Amino acid sequence: MGTAPEIANQRIVEALVSKLRRRQVVGSRQTAIETVLVLRQVISKARFSNIEHLIQIIKAVGRRLVQAQPKEHTVGNTVRKVLHHVREEYHAVSRAGPSSAQPPKSSFSISKFVSQGQPRKQNLTLPKSEARSTSLRENDPDDPDSFAKGLKPVLMEAIQDVLDELETVYDNVSKSARDHIHSDEIVLTIGHSKTVESFLKSASHYRNYTVIVAESAPSFGGHKMARSLSTAGISTFLVPDSSIYALMSRVNKCILGAHAILANGGMFAVTGSLLAVSAAQAHSTPVVVCAGQFKLTPLWNLYHEYGALDFADPSSVLGFEEGSLVDKVDVVNPYFDYVGPELINVYITNDGDHPPSSVYRLIKESYDDEDHEL
Amino acid sequence: MPPKSFNVGKERLIDDEEEPLQAVILADSFNKRFKPLTTSKPRCLLPICNAPLLDWTFESLSLAGVQEIFVICRSHADLVRAAIRESKWSKPSSGLKIVPILTAKETFSPGDAMRDIYTRGLITTDFILVNGDLVSNVRIDEVVKVHRERRKTNKDAIMTMVVKESGAKHRTRSRGDSAVFVLDAESSECLHYEPVTGYPPKTQVGIPREILAEHPEVEIRNDLMDCSIDVCSVEVPSLFQDNFDWLDLRRDFVHGVLTSDLLMNTIHCYVVKEGYAARVKDTKSYDSISKDILARWTFPLVPDDNHPGGHAYEHLRGNRYIAKDNTVVLSRTCKIGNNTLIGSSTHVFDNAQVISSVLGQKCKIGVNTVIRNSYIFDGTTIGANCVVENSIIGAKVHIKDKSRIERGCLVADGVVVGPEAKLRPFERVSKRRDTEVGDDDEDEESEEEEETEGDDQEEDDEDDEDESEDEDDEDSDSELEEAEANQAAIGATLGEDTNAIAWPLKSTEGEDSDADEMETFDNQRLMRMGDSASDLELTDPGSITSSEVDSDSDEEDGFMVSRTRRASASATSLPLTTPSTELLVPPLASAMEKEFQSEVSQSLERAFAEGHSVDNAAVELKTLRMSTNVPLRRVREAVIAAIVEQIPIVEGNMAQQRKEIANVVDRWGELIDRIGGVDAVETVSILQTHCASSQRLPLFGQVLAALYQNDLVEEDDIREWHRQPASRGEGMKPGTFSENMEKCWAVGTRMIQQFDEQEESEESGEESEEGED
């Protein structure tokens, strides 16, 4: 029984696994959404008679996905988040069942944060709690499926919440853009982060300011970013990475994106971020990082102190056609920079602003401790 | 659930839109460059970076969205089939349908395999043709899309070859087996393909003049690496069926299609900008592709990311990859250099050094041992104080203490050498067979014991040992026997406890098969790992044509392609068959021309004897000319010579003789103008030259007259020829030849006199035969 549901869903899991391995799904938000979709399918098809079993199934799928692409931390984060929600709903149901009391007002509940952002959802939760009045019995020998049948609609709601959060993450991060960017400021950014892009665009509705985009070689995401911003009517400069330091004295603020935010408050971000942040440090320019909460990762910098999480192929640095050189030169093309917590001033998430020092608390609220190791 | 139905709908949509993409893997190398490593398993199952080559190939194909794969296996087919059955690719979740196909033992070349594919009728649509030793992350589906798009407008575009810009000296580009591509700059149609061997170095490439005439912009490229990924149309296997002598995909098929006058098919190239693709053709490319993988050129197909074997590796700084499952034991004092991969459960003991190497699983590297630029397969043990450099060591090998393995050695599976063995550079070592050679039955049995997996095949072989054994086994047997017989002569130091024999350093097979220039020993050396081949003369020997080329170079600047062989080599130029170089016959080509001439005379004889139509004969000549690539003048010479020789000599009877000449020229004279281009003046001078050196000298006048009668030669042409100083035999050495030339010229003079007389008075001339009308 234990593996049966897994087999049933193997195909869809394997499809995502191979996509992750082949890097056909890239970008932390895209990966997170794909993961949620797979988990929803897995849960909807899963047969389980008690909560432990369900959690085992989800963990097994999660483990498989994380192993497929350990460098894409959002996969693990999403699995943890779903587990957290599953437990929460389960506790709510099992407590609410007999007493039919309102769910306890846990002050740090993540669902509260989510619902704050989305008033629409709050309306939905009310009829839901009424429907729960029938109690759920685990391991019912007469009808082993009754537990699953009773819990599944609630779980689907919870997963839908996670999905909604992911889908609205840019809007929610951008809500406070007006408070961070002031008129006639010069803002420096690097690479092409969708979060930063929407953040800057949303600020441009209220303020008139200038953006300097570093092109972030060799991926040159900055080119795309600059084009997008200037079409939105923001005055934009595209500069090579080498001039970041020279320009820093005129910059009022650095706004960066993140790939993953680590438990110590550091982060992995696109190559060149460390360069920009160090320059900012030298000029005491504030560094602001925009990221959705799904990037919070309960891990430390596992790899190298001055490391890049991932190394791409060298062809964008040294062309393959440079035949005679290839043999003599080892080319390293790091994908990300590790930026330590001491270099960052504030994280702007879809759940308000936080200093790096309180990231650990956010992580504790978002995920259950027992899920840190999947 | 809404998302589910959405997904299902999407899948169905895709199914409706596209027919399933098929691929064919040729899982046999059809050569023996990896001997003796390939004695017990086929090349496609050799591991590269600890995953079998076949898995890399499957990964490349499934990346392209291929749904159905046919694996054509020949040698060790059972091993291949078992490997496929056990791999993750045959699970339903992989979304691949893999069909292993066992082809006949008589399949000796890719061409035979293609004919087999045709007879089995496997292919129903455009398909991808690759070899079982491909490592690629190229988006082949995009190539397929381009190919299909092209096919919609142009049904003759039968194939798209994937090539990659690499520069002439890239480590992954084979020096021994490369090619010059002539492409149309706009459509990237491949106009001409010229295979290039490394040794003897190819210095000239002939490009048919028509190409330059028909295409305004042409790219001649020697910097392309052939990825051996072909997107083929359904017609391709049937073309192989029609042309039963085509063996190689490139040298025969591509060359044949491009030079054929009859097939109107075209072949295109797709120059990939992004991605990596290369074939493990030989040990040298094995080395360089391993290095490319470790240096992450194949990203995301790298050991720590998407390892086809499913192993998990951790990527450390300096491109070191260590298996992730915490089973690797590295001594505190050992040294692991850059670009190194270490498989799980491997132990590296104190003070050992592993530099730029790949270690398989469950290997043991002894104290103070140095491993450099080497590839060591699973389960191998290397003792203390050994040195292994630039070599490939098979699986379950035991190299005992204080052994030395120099560059370029290949050590086959299961060998034990040492202690204190000293393998010389490029030594090839395999396990000795247990029984005496000569007794075939025992022999088979002993092999069976060794090869537990290959049982079925061996049993099959026992029925008719000598014939049905595939080439590999057969050759290895004969070679093995030879090697065993000559152990004393070979004189390798393999140590006391060895169970191995050394193979002859210089294999004889290269000399045997002189038909295949790719397989000569010297050329093979360029494909050997660790062989710098610095003693081979790779520069243009003496630059045969350089002086002549210099004089022509002014006009030719636009057509020069300089190719540098090595850093020190001088630039070599390739004169093209433009008019100015047409008269220039490089000594290299003279043999070819001689062959061509005999071919032409044979084919014309056949035409004369069997009474072909002039059209057919002309087509045949054209094809011949294309295939040997000789200038037009040579064809004309050959045709005229053949026609003149065709005329029977009738002694004493002028009228009869004239009739014979008229017969032949009436029937065949037209051919002279049908071989391409009309140049009557040249015709006359060739006729003169031929007659001057032939016993049909007296017929010159009559033949010329007959040509005149048939409007093949006009009066003006004769006058023009007559005016040329060369026609009078000027500038020639005095002798019978020049005398004869003069005689001919005198005949011409008489003829011209007659023309003049004719103009003056309409009376006909009396005494000369040719002026009758």
Side-chain angles (χ1 to χ4, degrees), chain A residues 14-33:
Chain A
E14 287 301 319
L16 181 58
V17 163
S18 57
K19 269 199 225 163
L20 284 171
R21 284 177 71 107
R22 291 173 191 153
R23 311 253 172 158
Q24 286 166 333
V25 189
V26 283
S28 21
R29 178 164 164 271
Q30 194 54 39
T31 341
I33 288 177

Side-chain angles (χ1 to χ4, degrees), chain A residues 10-12 14-15 17-24 37 40-41 44-45 67-71 156 302-333 335, chain B residues 1-4 7 58-59 62-63 88-89 92-95 137 139 164-172 223 225 275-277 291-292 295-300 302 304-311 314-319 324 338-339:
Chain A
Q10 198 117 48
R11 188 144 199 155
I12 180 164
E14 287 301 319
V17 163
S18 57
K19 269 199 225 163
L20 284 171
R21 284 177 71 107
R22 291 173 191 153
R23 311 253 172 158
Q24 286 166 333
L37 290 176
R40 177 158 73 179
Q41 285 234 35
S44 75
K45 284 185 191 161
Q67 271 168 4
Q69 190 47 274
K71 292 160 188 169
M156 290 304 138
L302 298 170
Y303 298 89
H304 332 232
E305 181 58 26
Y306 297 100
L309 178 63
D310 196 2
F311 294 85
D313 66 320
S315 60
S316 47
V317 183
L318 177 78
F320 193 77
E321 62 277 5
E322 305 281 346
S324 46
L325 269 181
V326 168
D327 211 10
K328 298 167 193 137
V329 188
D330 279 340
V331 186
V332 174
N333 179 14
Y335 220 80
Chain B
M1 297 261 77
K4 188 180 140 209
N7 275 351
F58 283 144
E59 177 63 41
S62 76
L63 197 65
K88 60 176 173 173
W89 307 106
S93 58
S94 71
N137 64 357
R139 297 298 306 266
K164 181 154 179 60
E165 256 174 58
S166 71
K169 284 177 285 172
H170 197 281
R171 63 178 173 200
T172 315
D223 65 337
M225 190 172 84
Y276 178 92
K291 290 210 163 83
D292 288 342
R296 305 180 78 79
W297 287 96
T298 56
F299 182 87
V302 286
D304 60 319
D305 223 349
N306 189 12
H307 191 263
H311 307 175
E314 191 174 347
H315 177 228
L316 304 175
R317 201 195 292 212
N319 290 336
K324 228 178 191 174
N338 284 357
N339 296 322

Side-chain angles (χ1 to χ4, degrees), chain B residues 261-326:
Chain B
D261 274 7
L262 302 170
L263 302 168
M264 296 312 290
N265 296 321
T266 55
I267 292 176
H268 287 76
C269 277
Y270 182 93
V271 184
V272 277
K273 295 278 180 286
E274 282 174 14
Y276 178 92
R279 241 192 92 192
V280 181
K281 283 183 190 167
D282 40 54
T283 46
K284 191 164 199 124
S285 57
Y286 180 92
D287 178 43
S288 52
I289 290 172
S290 297
K291 290 210 163 83
D292 288 342
I293 292 171
L294 294 180
R296 305 180 78 79
W297 287 96
T298 56
F299 182 87
L301 211 60
V302 286
D304 60 319
D305 223 349
N306 189 12
H307 191 263
H311 307 175
Y313 290 95
E314 191 174 347
H315 177 228
L316 304 175
R317 201 195 292 212
N319 290 336
R320 298 178 181 91
Y321 304 86
I322 313 284
K324 228 178 191 174
D325 50 3
N326 280 329

Side-chain angles (χ1 to χ4, degrees), chain B residues 19-34:
Chain B
E19 40 203 15
L21 188 53
Q22 292 178 315
V24 173
I25 299 180
L26 301 179
D28 198 291
S29 52
F30 302 110
N31 57 42
K32 309 180 278 280
R33 294 170 190 168
F34 274 84

Side-chain angles (χ1 to χ4, degrees), chain B residues 286-387:
Chain B
Y286 180 92
D287 178 43
S288 52
I289 290 172
S290 297
K291 290 210 163 83
D292 288 342
I293 292 171
L294 294 180
R296 305 180 78 79
W297 287 96
T298 56
F299 182 87
L301 211 60
V302 286
D304 60 319
D305 223 349
N306 189 12
H307 191 263
H311 307 175
Y313 290 95
E314 191 174 347
H315 177 228
L316 304 175
R317 201 195 292 212
N319 290 336
R320 298 178 181 91
Y321 304 86
I322 313 284
K324 228 178 191 174
D325 50 3
N326 280 329
T327 53
V328 176
V329 180
L330 302 180
S331 151
R332 203 171 49 82
T333 51
C334 74
K335 188 183 162 204
I336 307 295
N338 284 357
N339 296 322
T340 297
L341 177 84
I342 298 181
S344 61
S345 306
T346 287
H347 291 224
V348 181
F349 292 102
D350 291 351
N351 293 323
Q353 294 186 26
V354 182
I355 298 156
S356 303
S357 299
V358 174
L359 303 185
Q361 301 182 332
K362 302 191 185 78
C363 289
K364 285 191 173 54
I365 310 298
V367 179
N368 289 328
T369 289
V370 179
I371 313 277
R372 198 176 290 129
N373 293 324
S374 296
Y375 304 91
I376 294 171
F377 299 170
D378 293 353
T380 289
T381 305
I382 296 178
N385 299 309
C386 294
V387 177

Side-chain angles (χ1 to χ4, degrees), chain B residues 102-326:
Chain B
L102 176 59
T103 182
K105 300 279 185 194
E106 290 77 36
T107 307
F108 287 129
S109 69
D112 292 335
M114 294 301 284
R115 285 182 272 280
D116 196 36
I117 292 167
Y118 177 77
T119 31
R120 285 169 197 255
L122 301 169
I123 297 302
T124 54
T125 166
D126 292 357
F127 67 102
I128 303 171
L129 176 67
V130 297
N131 277 279
D133 45 18
L134 174 77
V135 175
S136 146
N137 64 357
V138 171
R139 297 298 306 266
I140 306 175
D141 45 342
E142 276 164 25
V143 188
V144 175
K145 213 185 288 168
V146 170
H147 178 79
R148 284 186 173 156
E149 212 43 52
R150 192 181 293 131
R151 288 275 288 171
K152 276 181 196 158
T153 53
N154 179 6
K155 279 285 168 208
D156 291 330
I158 51 162
M159 188 163 107
T160 305
M161 298 189 282
V162 179
V163 292
K164 181 154 179 60
E165 256 174 58
S166 71
K169 284 177 285 172
H170 197 281
R171 63 178 173 200
T172 315
R173 186 172 189 268
S174 176
R175 277 157 88 198
D177 181 7
S178 54
V180 170
F181 290 86
V182 181
L183 307 178
D184 183 291
E186 206 174 317
S187 65
S188 73
E189 182 187 336
C190 186
L191 305 171
H192 187 72
Y193 176 90
E194 189 83 24
V196 172
T197 52
Y199 193 89
K202 191 163 186 131
T203 53
Q204 301 207 332
V205 173
I207 293 160
R209 221 188 322 174
E210 292 88 324
I211 288 176
L212 300 174
E214 283 164 22
H215 298 271
E217 207 176 324
V218 171
E219 287 179 3
I220 302 169
R221 308 191 63 163
N222 188 36
D223 65 337
L224 295 176
M225 190 172 84
D226 195 340
C227 304
S228 300
I229 304 172
D230 301 327
V231 180
C232 305
S233 307
V234 215
E235 293 94 318
V236 172
S238 68
L239 277 176
F240 271 96
Q241 187 68 19
D242 296 343
N243 296 274
F244 54 88
D245 54 336
W246 283 351
L247 302 176
D248 190 83
L249 282 175
R250 289 285 181 268
R251 275 171 286 152
D252 296 320
F253 174 70
V254 173
H255 195 264
V257 167
L258 293 182
T259 51
S260 167
D261 274 7
L262 302 170
L263 302 168
M264 296 312 290
N265 296 321
T266 55
I267 292 176
H268 287 76
C269 277
Y270 182 93
V271 184
V272 277
K273 295 278 180 286
E274 282 174 14
Y276 178 92
R279 241 192 92 192
V280 181
K281 283 183 190 167
D282 40 54
T283 46
K284 191 164 199 124
S285 57
Y286 180 92
D287 178 43
S288 52
I289 290 172
S290 297
K291 290 210 163 83
D292 288 342
I293 292 171
L294 294 180
R296 305 180 78 79
W297 287 96
T298 56
F299 182 87
L301 211 60
V302 286
D304 60 319
D305 223 349
N306 189 12
H307 191 263
H311 307 175
Y313 290 95
E314 191 174 347
H315 177 228
L316 304 175
R317 201 195 292 212
N319 290 336
R320 298 178 181 91
Y321 304 86
I322 313 284
K324 228 178 191 174
D325 50 3
N326 280 329

